[in-house]
Amino acid sequence: MRRLPLLLLPLLLSLALAGAARAAADCADYYDRVKQIGEAQLQYQPLVGLQPIPDLATAACVRDVLVRVLEQQGGLGRPVGYKVGLPSKALQERLNIPPPVWGVLLAAMLLPDGAEVRLPYAARGIVEADLLVTVASEAINAATTPEEVARSLADLKPFIELPDLMTGEGQALDATVITAINVGARLGVQGAALPMTPELAAALPAMTVRMTGPGGQLLEAPGAAVLGHPLNAVIWLVAALKAEGKALRPGDVISLGSFGPPQQPVPGATFSVTYEGLPGGPLKVRVSFATE
């Protein structure tokens, strides 16, 4: 990911925000938050001193403007889908944030299996075991069960997400901040796809997800760790998007959420995730880290 010269950031962000103002006038009073978050993201700096955002609706507006800034000035490409964050009870309880949250994935965020990522790639980068699915039909917007979701999906991919927690010491982290920073979407490594079938969907809750990295095995979790069934994340996302007047479209990709505690990237290390117990599997995906 390229860094922009510090002297250019205020000008570029101001131009992007001016354009976004016409499309998001309802959060015009919070463009200073967008600028602050955008500068932190583009320069991989911890976010500190962010003034409160009053509610999730305003936070969502800040997120949408930020995505436009990252797309136009951050070199991250067009939106290609969504990520569901905080899907497990353990993460929700740890951060005292009951519902999941969602952010937008941009094209340049998605890397191929085995990618080498140079550090630092974020202010507070982490490594998470995840899954990625691709929407095949608009019928997914009416799905109410994992089985109905599966019928509207094209495929499933193993996915290691590399989000950015962003916040520095003393910065409060709640649902509004997490939403405003686009749920920390930064990078992710996707493996080979399996076509979605009823059998594959049925096997997801009972599969075992294992992550290995420095020191050996770092994570072992059942597929049910994500909302009881990973495809329940899609059902939640459909409802959340509908509440904002949005909907899933064919070709959209969806990151379903982390299966366990995040890990810390280590220079020179390789992390791999294996998904066992799936028809046509096991699935595997790998990422390694280098230093500049």
Side-chain angles (χ1 to χ4, degrees):
M1 297 176 66
R2 62 190 177 101
R3 297 175 188 251
L4 292 174
L6 281 171
L7 291 176
L8 288 179
L9 275 173
L11 173 60
L12 293 174
L13 285 166
S14 295
L15 291 173
L17 292 175
R22 293 187 292 271
D26 51 335
C27 64
D29 292 339
Y30 297 91
Y31 287 162
D32 59 328
R33 275 64 157 191
V34 182
K35 182 178 178 182
Q36 186 177 356
I37 297 168
E39 288 178 343
Q41 282 210 349
L42 293 175
Q43 289 296 318
Y44 313 155
Q45 296 297 315
L47 180 66
V48 294
L50 184 71
Q51 295 300 305
I53 297 172
D55 50 48
L56 282 172
T58 303
C61 188
V62 170
R63 175 205 61 219
D64 290 346
V65 178
L66 174 67
V67 167
R68 182 169 299 189
V69 170
L70 296 176
E71 176 185 0
Q72 296 177 354
Q73 310 302 337
L76 295 181
R78 65 181 182 85
V80 294
Y82 303 91
K83 64 165 290 186
V84 177
L86 306 180
S88 71
K89 281 190 175 181
L91 286 171
Q92 292 167 15
E93 291 172 356
R94 193 173 113 199
L95 295 174
N96 194 29
I97 301 172
V101 288
W102 66 266
V104 176
L105 297 175
L106 299 169
M109 293 178 177
L110 302 181
L111 306 175
D113 188 13
E116 182 179 73
V117 176
R118 292 195 171 275
L119 297 175
Y121 67 87
R124 289 182 59 198
I126 55 175
V127 183
E128 294 184 328
D130 201 328
L131 282 174
L132 203 67
V133 294
T134 307
V135 175
S137 167
E138 290 183 355
I140 200 167
N141 294 295
T144 58
T145 67
E147 294 77 17
E148 291 176 349
V149 169
R151 287 197 289 270
S152 295
L153 293 176
D155 57 36
L156 174 143
K157 297 178 183 179
F159 188 52
I160 298 176
E161 197 195 357
L162 306 174
D164 185 359
L165 293 181
M166 281 196 67
T167 51
E169 186 175 351
Q171 174 63 57
L173 189 64
D174 58 17
T176 60
V177 173
I178 294 175
T179 297
I181 66 173
N182 194 33
V183 197
R186 175 65 75 170
L187 294 175
V189 177
Q190 54 186 333
L194 276 181
M196 181 56 70
T197 64
E199 294 75 22
L200 177 58
L204 289 175
M207 72 175 173
T208 299
V209 181
R210 289 189 173 90
M211 177 186 285
T212 59
Q217 183 166 298
L218 305 173
L219 167 70
E220 179 176 324
V226 172
L227 297 175
H229 190 304
L231 297 186
N232 281 333
V234 179
I235 297 173
W236 178 88
L237 178 62
V238 164
L241 290 175
K242 184 177 181 181
E244 295 189 27
K246 300 176 173 70
L248 292 172
R249 298 178 297 179
D252 283 344
V253 297
I254 306 168
S255 163
L256 300 180
S258 174
F259 286 92
Q263 307 297 322
Q264 298 300 314
V266 178
T270 295
F271 291 77
S272 62
V273 181
T274 303
Y275 306 75
E276 300 174 353
L278 299 176
L283 294 177
K284 297 182 179 181
V285 63
R286 177 177 59 86
V287 64
S288 59
F289 295 96
T291 55
E292 290 186 336

